[in-house]
Amino acid sequence: MGDATPLTENLLLVYHEELPSETIEYITNKFPEAYIKIIQTLSAGIDHIVSNPIFKDTKIPVTTSSGIHGPHIAEWTVLNWLVASKKYIKIYEAQQKHQWTGVRPFLNGIHDQVGKKIGILGYGSIGRQIARVASALGMSVHAYTASPRPTPASRRDNGFIVPGTGDPDGTIPASWHHGHDKKALHSFLSIGLDHLVISLPLTPETTHILGAEEFSILSASAPGKNRGYKPYVTNISRGKVIDQDALIAALKSGELSGAALDVADPEPLPPDSPLWDAPNVQISPHISGLGVEYVARVFDIVQINLNRLKRGEPLINEYKRGKAY
Amino acid sequence: MGDATPLTENLLLVYHEELPSETIEYITNKFPEAYIKIIQTLSAGIDHIVSNPIFKDTKIPVTTSSGIHGPHIAEWTVLNWLVASKKYIKIYEAQQKHQWTGVRPFLNGIHDQVGKKIGILGYGSIGRQIARVASALGMSVHAYTASPRPTPASRRDNGFIVPGTGDPDGTIPASWHHGHDKKALHSFLSIGLDHLVISLPLTPETTHILGAEEFSILSASAPGKNRGYKPYVTNISRGKVIDQDALIAALKSGELSGAALDVADPEPLPPDSPLWDAPNVQISPHISGLGVEYVARVFDIVQINLNRLKRGEPLINEYKRGKAY
C-alpha cells in the first residue's frame, strides 16, 4: 500500500497482498522508465484506498481495473449454470467409480439454455460479457440499469473492454429496463425470467435489494415454472445485495431452482452457515474474477492511459472523486 | 422398430427404446391426422435402419434429426472446458467441506479462453454451435472440412438449425481448412491450436484418424505450451476416431493438457479401462446430446418437412440413399 507521501513520477501499485516476484518482474520489463502520474488499482473498485491520503489529499488521477473481469466472471457464470443444468456432479461421480451409466440417469430434467430469458441487474462490463455468451447459447438478454438508456450513445460501454468480448455498443439486449426503486425492480422481475444475474455494485441502496418479496415475484412469472424449471439466481456482486436468509428460504421452498454464488454474507462464510447446504446452491470463495491474465490486462489499461496522457486525451477507467460509485 | 411392411400413409417413428407415454401423447396431439410419407429418425445418423427393408426396399424419404444436437452438445463441451480450466472440482469439494478457501488455491494455473485458438474437425451443425459459443468467449475458430469451402454458398449450413444458434452462413471461422489425407490433417494440426474438437462422423477413413503422431504435432505447435497450457482435446464424435491408447499416452506425457470425452472405445467403457484415470480426462457416458428439448425439436423438423411436402419443395435433412454419409 502507498503511504502518506504522494508520488509524482512513479508507477504506484495498490494491492492488498504482496505481489509475486514474477509480477514485479513483468511490470519492470513492461515499463522500464516508469514516470506515470496515475494511480492504477488492481481492482474494479476503489474502496480500499478511499481513506488513504494519496486519494483524499491529492488530485493524482485514480484509474481502476474495471472491464478486465468480464471474461473470467462470464466463464464462471456459465460454468455454474451448466454444472447445475447438466447434472455435472453425477457425471463426475460416475467417472470416479468407473461407471459407464449410459443415458438413463440423464433422460429427465436436463434442459438446455436455448430460448431462456436472462435478466441482468447492472449492465456493466461483466454483465455485458455474460450477455454475449448467453446470447451465443441462444438465450434472450434483458438489461436493468439505474439510469435510463434510451439512445445508442447511452447504451455504449465507454470503459476498458477486453478485445473480442463484451457488448461495446449495447446491442445484445432484447429489452432495456431501468429504475432506482422497488417498483421498477419488481416490474423488471415480472417480465418472465429464467435467469437473474446480479452484477450491481454494493451501495446503501443496493444492500438487500433482493429479498423474499423479490424472489417471490421472480418465481411467479417464470416461464418455465410449469415445465420443470424455476428461476436460477447468479450473484457475482457482493453478498449483502441479497437477503441471504430469504435466498435460503426460496431455495428450500422451490421458488428458485438454484443459485450460483461467488460472494456471501459474511466472507469468509462460517462453516456452520446454512447457506453451504441450501438446495441446489453452488458456492465459490470470491474467485470468479481470478486468472493468470488478470495482471497483464491491468497493464493493458495502464498502456492505453500512458498513450492517452501523451496525447492529452481523457483517461479511461478514471475514478471521478466526489461522485458516487 | 418398423418391420418389413413399408408404411405409406402413417408417421413412423424409429427409436431404439420404448418411447415414454408423454412423448406418444405429444406426437398424437401435434399430428392428429398423421399422413406423412416420411421416415423421420430420432438420431442424426441412420446406421440403425440401413439394414431394414423399409430402408433398403422402398424409396420413402428418410429424414434425420441432424441439427438438433448443437445446443446441448455445445453446452456439454463448454461445461467440460470450464470444469477443467477453472478447477471446478476443487470448488465443489471445498463447498462439500464448508470451507471458504479464499483465493490462494486459485491464484495459479487458471486461464480464461480469450484469444485461444480452437480447431474444429468437421464443421457441421454441432461444430458450428460450438464455434458460436467459443467466439462469444473470445476465442478464434478454425474449421476443417473434408471438401473445400471456398465460396459463401459452400460455407452455408443447409440442414435444420435450432433458431438463434449455430453459424448458418459459416461466417465465424477465422480460417477454413480441408482435406482427406494425413498431410492435410497434419497441416491443420500445425496452425497452433489450444483446443481441438472432433465432431466428425465415424467412417473407415476417420477411424483412428487421431493417434500418437497427430497428438504430437498438435502439441508441438501449441501457442500456450510455454505459458502453462497445452492443447485440450474434446471428442463428441465416436470413440473409434481416436486411437485411445495413444490419447492416454499423450495425456500421461503432458503433450495434451486434458480431454473431454463423451464417447469411448468400446462403449460401455469397461470398469478396468485405464482411460477412466488418465490425467485430466473427463468422461461422460455418451449423453452430451440429451435434453428435454430433444423430441420437440425432432418434430420441428417433421413440421418443416410437412410444409415442404405440401408445397412440393425439397425436404430438409433428407438422407440420400446410395451416397456415403
Side-chain angles (χ1 to χ4, degrees), chain B residues 66-90:
Chain B
S66 177
I68 72 169
H69 304 77
H72 274 295
I73 297 184
E75 289 183 6
W76 178 94
T77 299
V78 172
L79 165 63
N80 277 282
W81 294 349
L82 297 178
V83 162
S85 66
K86 298 272 186 216
K87 305 184 181 180
Y88 178 73
I89 294 307
K90 204 179 266 197

Side-chain angles (χ1 to χ4, degrees), chain B residues 220-242:
Chain B
S221 74
K225 64 184 171 183
N226 300 323
R227 283 180 285 147
Y229 52 92
K230 289 287 194 112
Y232 191 92
V233 169
T234 303
N235 189 5
I236 44 161
S237 159
R238 289 291 182 270
K240 285 188 203 304
V241 301
I242 285 181

Side-chain angles (χ1 to χ4, degrees), chain B residues 2 71 130 145 148 164 183 213 238 290 309:
Chain B
I130 293 171
T145 57
K183 194 180 156 205
E213 194 180 358
R238 289 291 182 270
L290 290 183
L309 265 187

